[in-house]
Amino acid sequence: MRFLLIFFISCFAVAGLNAQLIVASRVFDLLTHEPIPFATIKYGAGNQGVIAGIDGAFEIPATGSTITKIEVSCLGYRSATISLPLSKDGIFLEPIGNELSEVTIKPPIEKIRRILNAAIDNRPANNPDKYDQYSCHVYYKMKADMQLPDTSKNDTAARARKLRALSERQHLLMSETYSVRHWERPGKLQEDVLATRFSGLQKAVFTSMVTDILPFHAYDDFIKLNGKDYFNPVSPGFERRYRFNLSDEIMDGTDTIWVLSFRPKGISGASLSGKVFIHSDGYAIDRIIARARDTALKQSVRIEHQYARVPIDNGRRWFPRQLNYVIDREMKSDKFVYELRITGNSVVDSALFSGIDRKVFDKRHTVRISDQAMTEADSLLRILRPDALTDKERTTYRVIDSLGRKIKADRMMGHMRNLPLGRLSFGPVDVDLARILAFNKYEQVRLGLGGQTNDKLLKWLSLGGWGGYGFGDKRWKYGAFGELYLDKYKEFVVRGGYSDDISDPGRIQLAKDLDKNYLRMFLLQRADHVQSYTGSIRKKLGYWNLEAAGAQQHIEPLYSYALLADGVQRNKFDAQEASLSLRYAYAERTAPVFGSYVSLGSQYPICYGKVTYGTLESGSMMRNYVQALAAVKWKKHINRIGTEQLMLEGGKIWSDDALPISKLFAGNGYRYSAKGFLSLYAFGGLTTMFPYEYYTDQFVQAIVRHDFDWKLYRLEAAGVPFSSAPNIGLQYGMLYGTLQNKAAHLYVPFAVPDKPYHEAGIILNGLLRQRSSTYYQSLNIGYFYHFTPGAIDFEKNGKLVIGVSVEL
């Protein structure tokens, strides 16, 4: 009886297993043995089938009928019909080279159009950013490897074989991050890192997130890969940029999954190739695989997204399940060419759509990481990671960590911990790189040195100083300062200092990310000698940056100038000022780098403001004044239109009487020389105007720029480091202002833009591009014309402009 009971239990167990799962396997590339994501597996009659996951794995549940064979297919591979039972090693598909060769002669255009339009119409219902709120857990693993060439019987091949043997045992590098992601409309985002580890470092100096490379979802108009915007194939205007084919239809129960392959049309812009799976349940994106190839940089980026339906109280919601990427880049050593491959794999789970505590949102720090997340990363990741590390991954940590200790990698990183601030660390002292060498028309060359103590000496206090000598004006400049840090990330700072320096008269000082001080200093050709004592308190509050400051200045113009006041010509001034500055950037993203936070920008307009109250003395003369400044800056990439940039700036001065030009507003001109035909270009200034051509005591300036997405042409040649792929930019700039009592300013020629100054121009971005390691250094050339006569140059209204930029 006992044996009979065991027999029946065994029979029912086997039957139960067969009822739950009849076929399970994985699909691999025959040549590389890497998993093939999103392969289609069909079985039985009709279009019944399943889709393999990102890792190539699939499962076929029992259908009530016997399955004797399956058909496995994937775009870019030769289809295979395989009889059951399957090999335990998996299924291997042979690549056929050009993945886009499997295109029908006449795809069903109308059907494809209806599917994509329905998916676009349903984007708000399926886009996680349109949900009121959500939270989820994200595990992310990054690995770097070398893909080596075939070997032969020579020294190069022997070296390659040794490296190949090494790459089979371990990865070059790897890192892991486990975080909790919180979201709340319209733009609140918080990433709390619970554990993070980077091979070779005992303490991670930055946190690697999967969203640094690819987006969290594919429902925006653009898919940002490795910092560059690509047109989303499931977005309005898809027919202008992509060719589609209906590659397959798969039945998922009573639902249908349409598999659409896509490829770019012509050279319209940054486009992708790949395939997208549209599910009839809500016309949601079920999966997407897309890749971009830059032949000049010899680099390709591929992403793989997989989504799942998550149960909620009144139904189900689509949400990301896995986010993967692969970056391949051809590299050269002194012996051979190899390929560097960086892969990122992430798993998203524990999704919730309600009950999130609003206190979790720290507006100052988008990504938060605790000391425990780094110091106890190993033990925490053992608990948190969804799957155990492989032998190869464990070997990587062991070997690279040992190497990191041997070469003192943490100490090397310590030297660079203040690099985002423009400083290089040497023991307890940071060297200010910007103080070493400078060029401008007034000083010609300035050599100097600056430094300050860092947290190796004291974490809460820094003392510093600087000095420099200008070979053109033959003057020494110097200064000293101290900073008191009242929080961990140095976002609450009390500063005091003294400086003996030069400054161009009337320079607008509103915010570092707005003023383009580096360009204004390069254009410096008229200077005031300024001795100043300063003090300030700076603090970040949510999306606000606030600074209260005070200054005492002694100002002497180093050029022919006098202010006529009370019948006396005056050219030495003493000023005392108190000011309040603010910056507001809603939903600004920030990330920790080397112990401090850097801005990643905001998709919303950024607002600036500053109010200054001051008194000015010169002999018996005394003037009181109030200066107010405000600005708005905004940049956005808009589908089917292009990239728009807007900057509005204005200011007004209230004073008892005329102030010296050092306390007025100088026009923000970038024109370099009166004799040459070239002008410098950077967004934010007027390229046909000289820096000191106009002065006002109240003004408004507007600059608008539009960059088209489409390329005029592409010129690239193998082995040539230069290429050309220009797109057109259009820009308009305007300055209007007035000035009371212009006659009080003697010996200095300037004008007042009471008749508005207008300029417009066309720019060819990327006319000449030089390849670097992972980006292009681009030369941009354009032509600008101002419609009103200038104050200095009345004949040549047109100017050829030149600028440089970085293009990904």
Side-chain angles (χ1 to χ4, degrees):
M1 189 69 179
R2 184 180 62 184
F3 294 106
L4 185 61
L5 180 60
I6 294 173
F7 173 75
F8 273 100
I9 291 174
S10 301
C11 291
F12 277 106
V14 172
L17 288 173
N18 285 336
Q20 295 174 35
L21 184 68
I22 193 170
V23 177
S25 188
R26 294 181 71 186
V27 185
F28 297 95
D29 186 297
L30 179 62
L31 298 182
T32 66
H33 288 200
E34 293 185 353
I36 299 176
F38 310 150
T40 301
I41 297 91
K42 287 189 176 182
Y43 56 90
N47 284 326
Q48 287 294 325
V50 295
I51 302 170
I54 284 180
D55 59 356
F58 68 90
E59 299 174 350
I60 301 177
T63 61
S65 59
T66 302
I67 299 177
T68 59
K69 61 182 179 179
I70 60 173
E71 181 182 342
V72 185
S73 62
C74 185
L75 198 62
Y77 293 87
R78 202 174 303 282
S79 300
T81 300
I82 303 172
S83 299
L84 274 59
L86 299 176
S87 168
K88 64 179 181 180
D89 295 329
I91 300 169
F92 293 84
L93 296 185
E94 179 185 357
I96 57 175
N98 183 8
E99 65 161 324
L100 297 174
S101 62
E102 295 186 27
V103 179
T104 57
I105 296 175
K106 188 177 181 181
I109 299 298
E110 287 302 320
K111 183 174 183 178
I112 292 172
R113 185 180 291 122
R114 288 196 302 269
I115 294 170
L116 286 170
N117 283 330
I120 293 168
D121 292 341
N122 281 273
R123 286 197 309 175
N126 299 316
N127 184 349
D129 289 352
K130 301 299 182 182
Y131 300 159
D132 290 336
Q133 58 177 213
Y134 69 76
S135 72
C136 62
H137 293 198
V138 182
Y139 170 74
Y140 167 51
K141 182 191 299 180
M142 182 277 294
K143 294 177 288 190
D145 292 280
M146 294 176 64
Q147 306 290 318
L148 295 160
D150 293 334
T151 59
S152 59
K153 295 180 179 180
N154 53 46
D155 292 338
T156 299
R159 182 178 175 186
R161 282 195 295 270
K162 290 180 181 179
L163 291 173
R164 179 179 286 106
L166 178 66
S167 66
E168 290 174 354
R169 292 194 305 269
Q170 68 173 78
H171 304 286
L172 288 179
L173 289 172
M174 67 175 293
S175 69
E176 294 176 279
T177 301
Y178 193 96
S179 63
V180 180
R181 181 184 177 96
H182 301 278
W183 166 266
E184 183 178 295
R185 290 185 68 186
K188 293 181 180 179
L189 175 64
Q190 188 73 62
E191 297 254 20
D192 286 312
V193 177
L194 304 185
T196 182
R197 185 178 181 186
F198 199 97
S199 60
L201 298 175
Q202 297 180 25
K203 185 176 181 180
V205 293
F206 57 89
T207 301
S208 178
M209 314 292 288
V210 68
T211 47
D212 295 339
I213 305 296
L214 49 72
F216 188 68
H217 59 79
Y219 282 102
D220 289 331
D221 287 336
F222 299 93
I223 296 176
K224 186 180 289 292
L225 301 183
N226 208 20
K228 182 176 181 177
D229 283 347
Y230 292 88
F231 300 119
N232 190 338
V234 188
S235 65
F238 60 86
E239 290 182 284
R240 293 169 49 191
R241 301 186 177 105
Y242 290 103
R243 301 183 189 277
F244 286 88
N245 181 44
L246 181 58
S247 300
D248 212 341
E249 292 188 28
I250 304 166
M251 298 303 298
D252 181 22
T254 58
D255 293 315
T256 302
I257 300 175
W258 295 284
V259 183
L260 304 177
S261 60
F262 56 89
R263 56 175 175 157
K265 273 187 178 180
I267 57 171
S268 58
S271 299
L272 303 164
S273 61
K275 54 185 176 180
V276 59
F277 299 69
I278 306 296
H279 203 289
S280 61
D281 182 3
Y283 283 88
I285 297 175
D286 183 84
R287 293 166 171 83
I288 184 171
I289 181 169
R291 59 181 55 82
R293 172 75 180 170
D294 191 313
T295 55
L297 286 179
K298 298 181 180 179
Q299 176 176 286
S300 66
V301 182
R302 187 181 83 217
I303 65 162
E304 303 155 356
H305 276 199
Q306 185 173 348
Y307 300 80
R309 288 171 286 189
V310 179
I312 57 175
D313 293 339
N314 56 351
R316 293 181 294 184
R317 271 183 176 167
W318 287 94
F319 201 73
R321 181 70 180 93
Q322 290 192 57
L323 312 171
N324 292 352
Y325 67 83
V326 179
I327 301 175
D328 289 319
R329 176 164 178 78
E330 184 179 296
M331 309 289 287
K332 289 184 178 181
S333 72
D334 57 341
K335 297 292 185 179
F336 50 80
V337 177
Y338 64 95
E339 189 173 75
L340 176 65
R341 168 164 290 189
I342 302 174
T343 59
N345 307 95
S346 65
V347 177
V348 183
D349 59 20
S350 305
L352 297 174
F353 302 99
S354 61
I356 301 173
D357 186 359
R358 291 194 172 190
K359 294 180 181 179
V360 304
F361 292 100
D362 181 351
K363 297 177 182 178
R364 297 177 302 162
H365 309 129
T366 309
V367 178
R368 294 186 299 199
I369 178 171
S370 65
D371 291 335
Q372 182 185 23
M374 294 183 285
T375 58
E376 301 180 22
D378 195 24
S379 57
L380 289 171
L381 284 168
R382 285 197 197 102
I383 301 170
L384 296 172
R385 64 170 65 98
D387 298 304
L389 294 178
T390 65
D391 291 338
K392 185 175 181 178
E393 291 167 344
R394 285 193 293 269
T395 301
T396 301
Y397 273 133
R398 185 177 67 253
V399 174
I400 302 301
D401 287 351
S402 175
L403 178 62
R405 289 190 294 270
K406 184 176 181 180
I407 65 173
K408 296 181 173 58
D410 287 272
R411 179 182 294 182
M412 293 170 59
M413 290 295 105
H415 291 314
M416 296 187 291
R417 65 184 180 277
N418 286 319
L419 203 56
L421 304 175
R423 307 198 301 260
L424 200 58
S425 299
F426 294 95
V429 176
D430 287 351
V431 175
D432 189 343
L433 301 178
R435 294 285 184 184
I436 296 175
L437 180 65
F439 300 92
N440 58 67
K441 296 189 70 174
Y442 184 80
E443 296 176 292
Q444 297 178 11
V445 176
R446 181 199 280 200
L447 291 177
L449 188 64
Q452 65 184 93
T453 62
N454 57 42
D455 52 10
K456 284 194 173 183
L457 187 64
L458 288 174
K459 293 183 179 296
W460 53 273
L461 178 68
S462 177
L463 300 176
W466 59 271
Y469 182 79
F471 288 88
D473 62 343
K474 296 180 172 53
R475 282 177 175 267
W476 283 97
K477 296 90 180 175
Y478 50 89
F481 61 89
E483 293 180 336
L484 179 65
Y485 307 118
L486 302 178
D487 73 334
K488 177 180 178 181
Y489 298 111
K490 301 179 182 179
E491 295 172 337
F492 188 5
V493 182
V494 178
R495 178 185 171 100
Y498 169 80
S499 66
D500 188 315
D501 202 358
I502 58 174
S503 176
D504 51 340
R507 181 195 300 183
I508 296 173
Q509 300 276 13
L510 185 52
K512 289 183 179 180
D513 56 336
L514 195 70
D515 296 338
K516 298 286 193 303
N517 282 340
Y518 66 93
L519 188 56
R520 295 297 299 271
M521 280 302 297
F522 177 75
L523 294 169
L524 179 71
Q525 51 189 302
R526 178 186 295 171
D528 290 329
H529 176 213
V530 182
Q531 296 172 294
S532 60
Y533 294 90
T534 59
S536 65
I537 301 176
R538 183 178 76 250
K539 185 171 178 58
K540 185 172 175 63
L541 295 170
Y543 299 135
W544 292 89
N545 287 81
L546 304 176
E547 182 175 17
Q552 181 176 322
Q553 301 173 323
H554 177 72
I555 305 168
E556 292 187 41
L558 300 177
Y559 47 93
S560 297
Y561 174 76
L563 176 69
L564 184 63
D566 303 325
V568 179
Q569 296 184 17
R570 306 178 187 274
N571 60 4
K572 295 182 181 180
F573 309 95
D574 293 293
Q576 296 82 38
E577 293 183 340
S579 64
L580 178 65
S581 303
L582 59 88
R583 175 183 180 272
Y584 182 75
Y586 178 75
E588 182 178 37
R589 305 289 184 248
T590 60
V593 179
F594 295 104
S596 61
Y597 277 81
V598 297
S599 173
L600 303 179
S602 172
Q603 62 176 322
Y604 299 96
I606 301 176
C607 302
Y608 307 83
K610 183 178 182 180
V611 177
T612 302
Y613 173 79
T615 61
L616 185 83
E617 298 180 21
S618 180
S620 61
M621 182 201 78
M622 177 177 288
R623 302 279 163 84
N624 297 313
Y625 59 93
V626 175
Q627 182 187 85
L629 282 165
V632 176
K633 184 177 70 172
W634 180 65
K635 181 178 181 179
K636 189 173 181 62
H637 199 174
I638 303 174
N639 187 26
R640 295 183 290 179
I641 295 177
T643 300
E644 304 295 332
Q645 291 188 73
L646 170 67
M647 179 177 165
L648 297 176
E649 190 172 18
K652 183 175 175 60
I653 298 173
W654 296 266
S655 65
D656 299 336
D657 207 330
L659 298 176
I661 62 171
S662 301
K663 294 299 177 182
L664 299 179
F665 301 123
N668 199 15
Y670 291 162
R671 185 169 170 181
Y672 184 69
S673 171
K675 296 180 181 180
F677 66 96
L678 284 176
S679 181
L680 301 180
Y681 175 79
F683 183 79
L686 298 168
T687 61
T688 60
M689 179 188 294
F690 289 99
Y692 316 102
E693 191 171 354
Y694 290 93
Y695 281 94
T696 66
D697 57 16
Q698 60 179 351
F699 78 98
V700 60
Q701 175 183 282
I703 300 176
V704 181
R705 172 170 168 166
H706 172 82
D707 290 306
F708 294 95
D709 284 327
W710 42 268
K711 301 288 187 182
L712 290 175
Y713 59 83
R714 289 184 185 272
L715 290 178
E716 298 174 348
V720 179
F722 296 97
S723 62
S724 180
N727 66 297
I728 294 176
L730 302 176
Q731 180 169 308
Y732 164 76
M734 181 276 293
L735 173 67
Y736 170 76
T738 60
L739 176 64
Q740 301 293 325
N741 197 5
K742 180 178 182 294
H745 304 278
L746 306 178
Y747 310 125
V748 172
F750 68 86
V752 178
D754 47 7
K755 292 182 179 180
Y757 187 99
H758 300 274
E759 73 171 22
I762 183 171
I763 307 165
L764 294 180
N765 302 297
L767 185 62
L768 184 63
R769 307 186 302 175
Q770 182 180 15
R771 295 196 301 271
S772 185
S773 56
T774 57
Y775 58 90
Y776 294 100
Q777 295 173 331
S778 294
L779 179 68
N780 312 318
I781 295 179
Y783 186 82
F784 277 71
Y785 186 90
H786 64 88
F787 307 117
T788 52
I792 298 177
D793 186 351
F794 292 89
E795 297 179 358
K796 298 179 180 179
N797 287 8
K799 279 291 171 185
L800 190 67
V801 302
I802 184 170
V804 294
S805 62
V806 173
E807 182 182 347
L808 297 173

